[in-house]
Amino acid sequence: MVQPKIAPSMLSSDFANLASEAERMIRCGADWLHMDIMDGHFVPNLTIGAPVIESLRKHTQAYLDCHLMVTNPIDYVEPFGKAGASGFTFHVEVSKDNWQELVQKIKSKGMKPGVSLKPGTPVEEVFPLLEGENPVEMVLVMTVEPGFGGQKFMPEMMDKVRVLRKKYPSLDIEVDGGLGPSTIDLAASAGANCIVAGSSVFGAPDPAHVISLLYKSVENAQNSS
Ligand SMILES: O=C(CO)[C@@H](O)[C@H](O)COP(=O)(O)O
Ligand SMILES: [Fe+2]
């Protein structure tokens, strides 16, 4: 059975207090911290890069689940490895020609390679990356258009999750965008085990309660499947 992981998206945190926000999330029961890296080109928004990951790493031992919404992910592997990133998830839409080199490089820097796909990208496009000698170890299914937090969950993306879970029973499948107490059951029953949640966690009066609801939903779905 794949381990449930709840990953609050730090995009919804107070960036001016990133270290204490990270610590607060871990205290609230978060398994991973989801870090959204946007280059203002692949997506129309600009966030943080390796220097911020490096600074945060000095304050936490937590798993830093980095989601690279960038046009040239290969340029980021070395700096992110040095900075202390744990997971490095790139987008399939910009990696068709060099994903093999990318995966190899990510692993050689001690990070876990993942691939993400935008809502309009067919799930079949990630299949080659899950086969062969050097596969990715996680698929991140976007459930909103990448770029911003606080958008509405797209339930039609659950078909992709179902297809992936059927084909790859032990794969880490992450969902990202619009996840919270009202949408988690759809994602959990489709087979997602890694759950990114930004606004629903940071906007809640009791983030620990939301994190535990998300975790329990994944556990329940796994126990009844
Ligand atoms: O990658 C992204 C957005 O591009 C996400 O990680 C969001 O930051 C999730 O935020 P919510 O939809 O949960 O508010
Ligand atoms: Fe993300």
Side-chain angles (χ1 to χ4, degrees):
M1 201 163 284
V2 281
Q3 185 64 34
K5 302 276 182 205
I6 308 304
S9 166
M10 300 309 288
L11 186 60
S12 295
S13 74
D14 175 4
F15 270 172
N17 291 293
L18 194 53
S20 61
E21 289 284 76
E23 196 193 324
R24 179 165 74 100
M25 286 301 120
I26 296 299
R27 254 191 284 117
C28 285
D31 301 288
W32 288 355
L33 300 175
H34 185 80
M35 309 302 297
D36 287 302
I37 315 304
M38 306 185 187
D39 67 353
H41 187 264
F42 179 71
V43 288
N45 194 6
L46 185 65
T47 56
I48 57 167
V52 175
I53 300 296
E54 192 180 343
S55 298
L56 181 59
R57 178 50 82 213
K58 294 185 183 126
H59 297 271
T60 181
Q61 311 246 331
Y63 185 99
L64 301 178
D65 174 39
C66 298
H67 175 195
L68 283 285
M69 286 161 275
V70 302
T71 302
N72 291 309
I74 197 107
D75 296 344
Y76 293 69
V77 179
E78 183 136 358
F80 272 69
K82 276 203 187 121
S86 312
F88 187 107
T89 299
F90 57 88
H91 268 263
V92 71
E93 297 85 5
V94 287
S95 314
K96 299 226 169 77
D97 300 331
N98 66 347
W99 65 264
Q100 275 149 321
E101 184 195 354
L102 200 43
V103 172
Q104 201 176 19
K105 212 168 162 188
I106 294 167
K107 286 187 184 170
S108 78
K109 300 290 168 200
M111 297 179 287
K112 173 179 165 115
V115 68
S116 180
L117 64 165
K118 287 163 76 166
T121 303
V123 69
E124 292 74 21
E125 294 202 9
V126 303
F127 291 170
L129 286 74
L130 288 157
E131 270 133 48
E133 255 171 51
N134 228 359
V136 291
E137 294 169 16
M138 183 170 85
V139 175
L140 189 176
V141 175
M142 285 306 299
T143 46
V144 298
E145 284 300 336
F148 300 93
Q151 302 181 74
K152 199 170 166 288
F153 176 77
M154 299 166 78
E156 60 277 25
M157 293 304 124
M158 293 306 95
D159 287 345
K160 295 183 187 177
V161 175
R162 273 186 284 274
V163 166
L164 286 164
R165 179 54 70 221
K166 191 157 182 229
K167 205 164 149 65
Y168 306 101
S170 59
L171 176 69
D172 274 334
I173 303 177
E174 186 168 65
V175 282
D176 184 8
L179 271 306
S182 61
T183 50
I184 184 62
D185 289 345
L186 284 171
S189 61
N193 67 301
C194 303
I195 312 297
V196 177
S199 39
S200 69
V201 169
F202 283 94
D206 184 356
H209 178 64
V210 174
I211 290 172
S212 114
L213 275 178
L214 300 177
Y215 194 95
K216 280 184 192 140
S217 172
V218 176
E219 242 183 3
N220 290 343
Q222 290 184 343
N223 291 336
S224 59
S225 71

